[in-house]
Amino acid sequence: MLDIPRNKKIILFDGVCNLCDNTVQKVIKADKNDQFRFASLDSEIGKQILDYIGVDRQKMDSIVLYQPGISYYLKSQAAFKIASYLGLPYSLINIFSVFPKALTDIGYDFIAKNRYKWYGKKESCMIPNESIKQKFL
């Protein structure tokens, strides 16, 4: 059994991606109800969660939203679900969820494929400061 908070939604993200890091910072600021916890896809807990839900890390270079004991979401579906929990203006992104998953994932994959080129990459994962440290697993 995973040693994670059962009452929090877990966001797994690319820890060296600047776009991903900026997105995590925005989610933290918008998470007024303290619903989310975060972990890098490559962290020990990130790998354990991926193994537990049966997602191959070698084939997964995307955001993952894991709701312990309930479900998990990948790629565009994860982004839509996360936004839906944050309220306005973020929940407006759900307008795009009316499109087929295959189509929204094409858009997601295009951004994901180019994210390092457009936004850059860190040498290592961000080290959270004291004010947000408890949000990371």
Side-chain angles (χ1 to χ4, degrees), residues 12 31 33 45-46 96 102-103 120-121 130 133 137:
L12 303 179
D31 183 19
N33 297 322
I45 193 70
F96 297 105
L103 184 62
K121 182 177 177 179
E130 285 302 315
K133 193 174 189 172
L137 304 177

Side-chain angles (χ1 to χ4, degrees), residues 38-85:
F38 304 86
S40 165
L41 287 162
D42 292 317
S43 68
E44 202 52 47
I45 193 70
K47 291 175 189 174
Q48 288 175 13
I49 291 170
L50 291 175
D51 285 346
Y52 184 77
I53 62 176
V55 174
D56 183 352
R57 174 62 180 109
Q58 301 308 313
K59 297 177 184 170
M60 174 53 54
D61 194 18
S62 171
I63 191 168
V64 176
L65 173 63
Y66 174 55
Q67 296 177 275
I70 300 172
S71 59
Y72 68 91
Y73 304 88
L74 309 172
K75 298 185 179 189
S76 64
Q77 302 305 302
F80 296 148
K81 198 71 169 170
I82 292 164
S84 75
Y85 289 116

